Amino acid sequence: MKRIYLSSPHLSGLEVQFLQEALESGWIAPLGPQVEAFEQEFAEVVGAPYALALSSGTAAIHLALILAGVGPGDEVAVSTLTFAASAFPVLYLGAKPVFVDSERTSWNMDPGLLAEFLEARAKKGKLPKAVVLVHLYGQSADIDAIQGLCQEYGLTLIEDAAEALGSTYKGKSPGTFGFAGIFSFNGNKIITTSGGGMLVSNDEKLIAHARKLATQAREPVPWYEHREVGYNYRMSNLLAAVGRAQLRTLEERVQARRRIYERYVAGLSDLPGLSFQPEAPWGRHTRWLTVMLVDREAFGRGPEEIRQALEGLGIETRPVWKPLHLQPVFHGAETVGGGVAEDLFARGLCLPSGSSLTPEEQDRVIEAIRSLAET
Ligand SMILES: *Cc1c(COP(=O)(O)O)cnc(C)c1O
């Protein structure tokens, strides 16, 4: 039987046409007209005035932190329930992450905990420099509350919207509220360029500076002149062509993933001990991944037993992100709360959610889980 993946890339059918256009134009090199067009089209879709296409979402976070002035010894508050790439760039800069727990409405950073932490730190005169706010699994955090705190205490807000393209917060795209926002086009994301990222901002100068840093920080003179440390972080023209083709299907992809979520709910929620990540009242969840919570006692099996049983049937599922404050690589980092993220990690299981998943394949997943409940 065909293996069912968690979230596999889904071609739109337009990629070949866009790639052919890029190849025939002779622009194989990084940069070129496809990159510019992708940036413009992407900026329009998310409603950000300026966008910069990069080699990865991680590169985008790194540049955003550099431009926020984060350096050795600085602290950056980061959501603890996320992929390590949200926090790795903090380490690249010799800065220190402080991990902040989730709330239960959206599973994203808890503004109440952040407020307590900042109040205590303000008294000591030792505030972090920035916040990396993650929008997890296709759902926006409570941005207004976090942004209000950043304004009150003078912190720079960087939004990690790598998993949240297509979602909304009060009608707008997450990633467009703070100092800068980042997106990812890695292979498992809602649209993909096989690998790539985007940095967006309302600040034209910030994007211009990021553009320079991402192209080895060349000064605008005929010879190679460098006054700052640069990076090779741009997106290639060929991959931008793939991105343009993918972007045209974004709304369909969101609808498909939301339908998959609805079908899981219809097929599983009568079983004891199973529930799903809620949709917060402030906007649209894309259901990039459908995440199920398993109450071991009520269901009879825990999420890891379910994962292994499904693996044996050729179905890929995955635990919820292991909180970063529990990761050996971040050992010793200060943590604010942590119990909610630990609980979600202990009980959560991400189900196959790719937009190309067929109803028959999804029925295989649903039947497999149902059979575990009944044995
Ligand atoms: C995928 C992801 C990233 C990193 O993006 P890449 O393009 O893979 O570098 C960062 N943060 C989160 C939350 C992600 O899911």
Side-chain angles (χ1 to χ4, degrees):
M1 252 202 254
K2 209 176 125 213
R3 185 167 162 80
I4 297 176
Y5 291 96
L6 188 72
S7 176
S8 39
H10 188 176
L11 293 178
S12 70
L14 300 168
E15 286 83 1
V16 171
Q17 182 193 320
F18 278 86
L19 272 171
Q20 190 158 2
E21 204 181 296
L23 285 167
E24 283 171 357
S25 74
W27 286 97
I28 312 287
L31 306 186
Q34 297 289 338
V35 173
E36 277 159 42
F38 186 37
E39 287 172 349
Q40 274 172 20
E41 290 163 5
F42 188 87
E44 216 159 284
V45 164
V46 299
Y50 306 101
L52 175 67
L54 295 165
S55 53
S56 71
T58 311
I61 298 172
H62 189 193
L63 291 177
L65 288 166
I66 292 170
L67 293 167
V70 171
D74 288 334
E75 287 183 308
V76 178
V78 185
S79 312
T80 193
L81 191 64
T82 183
F83 181 40
S86 302
F88 276 152
V90 175
L91 299 190
Y92 302 166
L93 293 167
K96 288 187 283 187
V98 174
F99 294 116
V100 182
D101 202 4
S102 302
E103 33 79 358
R104 291 196 184 267
T105 305
S106 74
W107 298 9
N108 291 305
M109 189 184 285
D110 185 335
L113 281 181
L114 183 66
E116 281 172 31
F117 170 70
L118 293 177
E119 198 187 324
R121 283 305 199 79
K123 282 188 190 136
K124 290 191 193 160
K126 191 173 176 298
L127 284 164
K129 195 143 197 173
V131 173
V132 175
L133 176 63
V134 181
H135 306 296
L136 208 64
Y137 293 130
Q139 173 154 274
S140 160
D142 186 2
I143 301 171
D144 281 351
I146 305 278
Q147 188 166 35
L149 290 166
C150 288
Q151 280 159 359
E152 186 181 341
Y153 290 97
L155 277 55
T156 303
L157 177 60
I158 295 164
E159 291 179 77
D160 177 350
E163 300 179 4
L165 179 59
S167 68
T168 60
Y169 179 77
K170 300 184 181 174
K172 284 173 61 184
S173 172
T176 62
F177 290 80
F179 168 82
I182 78 97
F183 295 87
S184 167
F185 313 116
N186 196 25
N188 58 358
K189 299 296 181 348
I190 198 159
I191 65 166
T192 181
T193 58
S194 79
M198 194 74 78
L199 180 70
V200 305
S201 177
N202 300 317
D203 182 344
E204 186 174 12
K205 286 208 189 88
L206 184 156
I207 293 294
H209 194 179
R211 195 177 296 276
K212 177 187 163 196
L213 294 180
T215 34
Q216 306 286 23
R218 277 190 69 183
E219 296 295 331
V221 292
W223 57 92
Y224 282 85
E225 176 87 8
H226 307 273
R227 294 167 188 274
E228 298 177 275
V229 176
Y231 302 86
N232 183 4
Y233 273 175
R234 291 311 308 275
M235 178 180 281
S236 97
N237 201 50
L238 292 184
L239 297 188
V242 175
R244 293 182 69 200
Q246 288 269 306
L247 191 59
R248 279 159 176 69
T249 63
L250 175 62
E251 188 53 32
E252 284 165 51
R253 298 298 183 249
V254 173
Q255 296 303 338
R257 288 190 191 247
R258 285 183 62 91
R259 274 198 304 276
I260 287 165
Y261 161 76
E262 298 292 348
R263 222 155 163 277
Y264 277 129
V265 172
L268 294 169
S269 56
D270 62 310
L271 296 178
L274 299 185
S275 60
F276 295 86
Q277 183 185 19
E279 181 167 37
W282 47 70
R284 179 170 80 163
H285 194 323
T286 65
R287 301 295 175 181
W288 169 60
L289 294 183
T290 290
V291 191
M292 185 169 84
L293 290 180
V294 184
D295 177 336
R296 192 172 210 291
E297 238 156 68
F299 186 74
R301 291 172 200 250
E304 181 55 19
E305 284 166 273
I306 299 176
R307 192 192 68 75
Q308 285 177 17
L310 295 189
E311 187 59 45
L313 298 168
I315 298 168
E316 182 187 31
T317 61
R318 201 169 289 169
V320 161
W321 296 122
K322 180 174 178 177
L324 298 187
H325 71 272
L326 301 180
Q327 299 283 0
V329 70
F330 296 114
H331 180 78
E334 183 165 348
T335 307
V336 185
V340 173
E342 286 172 26
D343 173 57
L344 296 172
F345 172 56
R347 292 196 291 133
L349 191 66
C350 303
L351 301 181
S353 306
S355 44
S356 55
L357 190 74
T358 65
E360 293 71 31
E361 288 173 321
Q362 198 181 355
D363 286 342
R364 260 175 69 196
V365 181
I366 291 170
E367 286 315 313
I369 295 172
R370 294 198 71 88
S371 73
L372 289 172
E374 287 148 15
T375 53

